[in-house]
Amino acid sequence: MKLAAHDHGGDGPPLLLLHGAGGDLSAWETLAPQLNARCVAVDLRGHGRSPDGPWEWDAVLDDLEATTVQFGLSQPIVVGHSLGGALAGMWARRHPDCPAAISLDGHRSGTTNPENYVHYDRLEADLATLTSMFDAQQETITRPSREITDVWRRSPEFADALPVFARVTAPFLLVLATKNLPVPPDLIPLMDAHRAGLRRDLPVVCPNVEVQEIDATHGMVAEQPLEVAAIVNEFIRATA
């Protein structure tokens, strides 16, 4: 499958930019010019101007392989946001010689398994409420297709990408948001418990992963592109 892509150009190592679920390559318009690299952003299959197709993780990675060949990106660094961050980990697992990979707050679904949260009294009820909200939201979305979003929601890699990250041998950075996206006040404890679960589990499950926190929400790429770019540039410089 040939993906829609945009070559931002730039000097430095080749860098492949992967957007989040429901997004497209335009998410990188502000951040890409700030990176010390030659940046190529893509629309993942079923997103933006890329064709539709069944969502299988290996097939999506094959799409990215073809894109790197098309643009002559030899051993690219992969930077992904949200869903793209999980894919960055999968790419690095597939390519042990990858120079580096970076996940921008791509780690676990908001409705991950209950054991991935730090427990509190209303956990199960709040998780059911959030799941219902996502169910209702799914009915209003036309792209990506329901077939794709259904695959995500059943996928263990989407529910929790930490086991994927644990198998990465390349330098890997996870940038963790410290602020919650706007949610009903009753669900703030659930969001806090989600982040607390990550802070608890990352050193145990993924001791190979460097973690940096940023004072932003999950929308960090749009909210703080300059700060995100500085973090990415420094990690690339340090790993080089």
Side-chain angles (χ1 to χ4, degrees):
M1 180 177 293
K2 292 185 177 180
L3 303 183
H6 177 70
D7 189 346
H8 289 270
D11 296 325
L15 198 155
L16 188 64
L17 297 172
L18 311 178
H19 62 75
D24 59 43
L25 58 79
S26 67
W28 303 102
E29 287 179 353
T30 302
L31 194 151
Q34 310 302 322
L35 298 175
N36 301 328
R38 186 251 177 129
C39 298
V40 173
V42 301
D43 284 338
L44 300 172
R45 64 167 57 192
H47 292 74
R49 293 179 291 112
S50 288
D52 288 315
W55 191 275
E56 299 171 353
W57 296 112
D58 282 339
V60 174
L61 292 172
D62 289 343
D63 296 343
L64 301 178
E65 297 271 12
T67 303
T68 63
V69 172
Q70 176 70 27
F71 284 90
L73 305 180
S74 176
Q75 292 188 313
I77 297 166
V78 181
V79 179
H81 174 234
S82 192
L83 169 68
L87 282 167
M90 294 178 193
W91 175 277
R93 181 183 61 178
R94 180 188 272 202
H95 296 272
D97 58 349
C98 175
I102 301 172
S103 172
L104 304 174
D105 216 42
H107 36 64
R108 285 171 171 166
S109 165
T111 54
T112 187
N113 301 320
E115 60 267 22
N116 292 333
Y117 299 83
V118 170
H119 185 79
Y120 67 100
D121 289 343
R122 297 200 322 270
L123 172 61
E124 288 77 12
D126 288 352
L127 186 54
T129 298
L130 185 63
T131 301
S132 296
M133 290 173 56
F134 285 163
D135 289 342
Q137 183 186 50
Q138 194 169 5
E139 297 298 328
T140 67
I141 295 173
T142 57
R143 206 150 195 272
S145 68
R146 181 66 178 269
E147 288 77 16
I148 288 177
T149 56
D150 281 347
V151 170
W152 291 342
R153 299 184 74 182
R154 295 193 303 268
S155 167
E157 294 88 351
F158 188 73
D160 184 10
L162 267 60
V164 173
F165 297 169
R167 296 174 59 190
V168 171
T169 56
F172 191 90
L173 172 66
L174 172 62
V175 182
L176 184 64
T178 62
K179 292 182 177 179
N180 297 325
L181 284 168
V183 294
D186 289 349
L187 293 182
I188 290 176
L190 181 68
M191 299 295 97
D192 292 342
H194 184 277
R195 187 179 303 106
L198 283 163
R199 288 172 170 153
R200 176 197 64 197
D201 296 340
L202 277 164
V204 177
V205 179
C206 304
N208 57 310
V209 174
E210 179 178 335
V211 180
Q212 291 191 40
E213 298 194 356
I214 185 172
D215 188 29
T217 74
H218 185 67
M220 61 178 70
V221 172
E223 292 173 5
Q224 299 194 28
L226 295 182
E227 186 171 353
V228 171
I231 292 172
V232 171
N233 284 333
E234 174 56 25
F235 188 70
I236 292 173
R237 185 202 64 78
T239 55

